[in-house]
């Protein structure tokens, strides 16, 4: 631990010094603290504070996973204004699709890496899919990747699956778990604000409904990830309220494994007139998340949205996870559509990126258990 007096001299904004005292004492930060962290011009000072917590929890360890993404359908009835991925026959863009079991298997086997430890499955909310489709999807993944944790179906998708099944959310989750589901991704919450919900995604779950389903996930004995999509129309107050609501729920359930701030990319969406977040915004959100979410074990930098170089810097701003190899992610943009943006890194490249940043790579599975190849 660095001497507190040395730390104090490294912080330019004196208003952050009481927060430094709280961080060094392990005290919980308030909403007012969070707002100051978002608004101070001293970004380096915010990063210093977050780094204290990161070092306390994880030292130099930085996690990554060999994972694959399966986006099983781009048909969706929610029509969120920030979404690039979802398509309908009227869009005039890429054709709507829904993967068959054989197509899912071929996608999983395309890369031939038997060391994949996590399969991340999300898609649009397609009301035409029957319940057995989701059970068959899990069975296909479990058969093709028996060593992998299956992280599948956001809370929004879980609500649709339960409706298709004609069953309660709790019973649906129990049956999905029996079929191989290991954990729930964090998407669909966007920003837990009624105002943002009404303006950008009114057909999705409300903030209260998202929290209610997350509580059911905890009761089912499933782990869950959490996210926040930032950099569109949300305010600083709404960002902090989102983090506080997650922190309160985690106090109750303890089932969240990690939080990932998701940097909004406006290209190709109904909000493409917006500038979107900068690299400094990305670093600040990671740092503030690490400081406010004191009961979350891990903070992830998603290198596809943040870029690998910014994600390297983020390891000194509170992040302890670089996500993974990813493979064929289509949610934010298609490969090659907006310039040379990569959708895949090898485990060797992740090792190198982490070591270049001065940290120690630790390979994990979908539940943050350390693994070897």
């Amino acid at each position: 631990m660095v001497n507190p007096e040395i730390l104090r001299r490294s912080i330019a904004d004196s208003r952050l010094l009481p927060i430094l005292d709280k961080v060094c004492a392990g005290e919980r930060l308030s909403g007012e603290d969070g707002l100051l962290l978002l608004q101070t011009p001293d970004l380096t000072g915010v990063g210093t504070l977050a780094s204290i917590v990161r070092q306390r929890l994880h030292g130099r360890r930085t996690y990554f996973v060999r994972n694959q993404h399966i986006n099983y359908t781009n048909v969706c009835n929610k029509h969120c204004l920030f979404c690039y991925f979802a398509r309908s026959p009227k869009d005039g863009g890429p054709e709507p699709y829904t993967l068959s079991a054989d197509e899912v298997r071929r996608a999983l086997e395309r890369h031939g890496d038997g060391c994949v430890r996590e399969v991340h499955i999300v898609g649009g909310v397609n009301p035409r899919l029957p319940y057995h489709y989701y059970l068959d999807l899990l069975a296909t993944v479990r058969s093709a990747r028996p060593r992998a944790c299956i992280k599948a179906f956001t809370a929004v998708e879980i609500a649709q699956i339960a409706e298709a099944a004609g069953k309660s959310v709790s019973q649906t989750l129990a049956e999905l778990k029996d079929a191989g589901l290991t954990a729930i991704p964090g998407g669909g919450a966007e920003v837990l604000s009624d105002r943002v919900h009404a303006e950008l995604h009114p057909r999705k779950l409300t903030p209260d409904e998202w929290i209610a389903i997350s509580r059911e996930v905890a009761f089912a004995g499933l782990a869950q990830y959490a996210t926040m999509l930032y950099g569109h129309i949300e305010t600083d107050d709404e960002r902090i309220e989102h983090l506080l609501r997650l922190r309160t729920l985690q106090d109750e359930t303890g089932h969240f494994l990690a939080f990932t701030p998701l940097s909004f990319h406006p290209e190709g969406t109904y909000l493409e007139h917006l500038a979107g977040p900068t690299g400094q915004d990305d670093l600040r959100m990671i740092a503030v998340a690490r400081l406010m979410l004191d009961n979350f074990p891990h903070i992830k930098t998603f290198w596809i949205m943040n870029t690998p170089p910014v994600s390297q810097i983020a390891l000194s701003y509170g992040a302890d996870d670089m996500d993974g190899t990813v493979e064929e992610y289509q949610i934010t943009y298609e490969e090659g559509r907006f310039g040379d943006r990569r959708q895949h890194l090898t485990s060797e490249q992740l090792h190198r990126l982490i070591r270049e940043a001065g940290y120690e790579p630790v390979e994990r599975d979908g539940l943050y258990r350390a693994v070897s190849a």
Side-chain angles (χ1 to χ4, degrees):
M1 180 76 178
V2 179
N3 186 297
E5 288 307 313
I6 296 176
L7 290 172
R8 295 176 79 85
R9 290 196 294 271
S10 70
I11 293 176
D13 187 347
S14 62
R15 296 176 300 166
L16 294 178
L17 294 179
I19 299 179
L20 170 63
D21 293 336
K22 285 186 177 182
V23 169
C24 289
E27 297 177 12
R28 174 162 282 187
L29 303 188
S30 67
E32 291 75 16
D33 293 331
L35 283 173
L36 176 56
L37 293 167
L38 284 177
Q39 295 168 357
T40 175
D42 186 10
L43 176 58
T44 301
V46 176
T48 296
L49 296 172
S51 185
I52 296 170
V53 179
R54 189 248 201 261
Q55 296 292 327
R56 181 186 299 151
L57 293 174
H58 303 290
R60 308 302 289 180
R61 296 185 300 278
T62 297
Y63 298 89
F64 75 95
V65 61
R66 300 192 204 203
N67 59 348
Q68 289 181 273
H69 283 238
I70 296 292
N71 305 131
Y72 59 92
T73 184
N74 69 345
V75 177
C76 188
N77 65 0
K78 301 307 179 188
H79 307 295
C80 305
L81 296 186
F82 53 76
C83 184
Y84 162 78
F85 173 70
R87 290 292 180 267
S88 75
K90 297 180 180 179
D91 284 332
E95 285 296 313
Y97 73 83
T98 298
L99 299 181
S100 67
D102 286 342
E103 288 171 324
V104 169
R105 181 177 292 276
R106 286 197 295 271
L108 289 169
E109 294 175 347
R110 188 172 297 137
H111 302 280
D113 186 350
C115 293
V116 167
R117 298 293 185 157
E118 176 190 276
V119 178
H120 184 125
I121 306 171
V122 295
V125 179
N126 185 347
R128 296 183 178 180
L129 292 180
Y131 182 44
H132 70 77
Y133 176 89
Y134 302 97
L135 298 176
D136 292 346
L137 177 59
L138 292 173
T140 299
V141 175
R142 187 161 62 172
S143 172
R145 293 294 189 203
R147 301 174 68 189
C149 294
I150 302 177
K151 183 170 75 173
F153 313 134
T154 65
V156 180
E157 291 164 89
I158 292 295
Q160 174 59 39
I161 296 169
E163 182 176 336
K167 300 177 180 181
S168 67
V169 169
S170 61
Q171 185 176 357
T172 301
L173 285 168
E175 293 178 3
L176 293 174
K177 184 179 178 182
D178 287 343
L181 182 62
T182 308
I184 304 295
E190 318 314 349
V191 178
L192 293 171
S193 156
D194 290 329
R195 182 191 71 87
V196 172
H197 177 268
E199 292 193 31
L200 296 187
H201 52 103
R203 298 188 183 190
K204 267 186 177 174
L205 298 176
T206 67
D208 287 345
E209 289 168 339
W210 189 91
I211 287 174
I213 288 185
S214 296
R215 190 175 283 115
E216 293 281 3
V217 170
F219 292 161
L222 289 161
Q224 188 174 3
Y225 289 68
T227 64
M228 177 174 67
L229 183 70
Y230 66 91
H232 40 86
I233 68 167
E234 84 286 355
T235 65
D236 287 343
D237 285 301
E238 287 165 334
R239 290 184 183 188
I240 294 302
E241 180 63 19
H242 180 99
L243 297 176
L244 292 177
R245 294 191 76 174
L246 288 176
R247 189 171 76 180
T248 298
L249 182 58
Q250 179 76 332
D251 280 342
E252 176 188 336
T253 65
H255 78 296
F256 287 108
L257 291 175
F259 175 78
T260 310
L262 298 177
S263 182
F264 174 58
H265 286 253
E267 306 99 319
T269 75
Y270 290 106
L271 302 176
E272 62 184 355
H273 60 283
L274 299 178
T278 66
Q280 289 189 350
D281 295 330
D282 297 336
L283 293 174
R284 187 182 297 270
M285 276 311 309
I286 285 167
V288 174
R290 180 62 286 168
L291 288 161
M292 297 302 296
L293 296 178
D294 52 37
N295 52 6
F296 272 63
H298 302 281
I299 301 296
K300 184 189 297 186
T301 174
F302 189 32
W303 62 262
I304 281 187
M305 288 183 167
N306 295 343
T307 75
V310 171
S311 289
Q312 286 180 295
I313 300 170
L315 300 182
S316 296
Y317 276 71
D320 64 276
D321 189 296
M322 280 276 284
D323 197 83
T325 53
V326 178
E327 311 274 11
E328 299 187 44
Y329 179 80
Q330 298 294 324
I331 299 296
T332 306
Y333 45 76
E334 292 176 291
E335 183 87 54
R337 168 153 181 166
F338 300 112
D340 184 21
R341 294 184 182 173
R342 305 192 63 175
Q343 304 285 61
H344 169 64
L345 290 173
T346 66
S347 58
E348 290 79 12
Q349 288 170 323
L350 285 163
H351 265 267
R352 178 177 56 78
L353 287 168
I354 292 167
R355 291 197 182 281
E356 279 181 354
Y359 291 85
E360 172 192 349
V362 178
E363 185 171 353
R364 64 170 177 86
D365 68 5
L367 297 177
Y368 281 90
R369 297 174 299 203
V371 300
S372 56

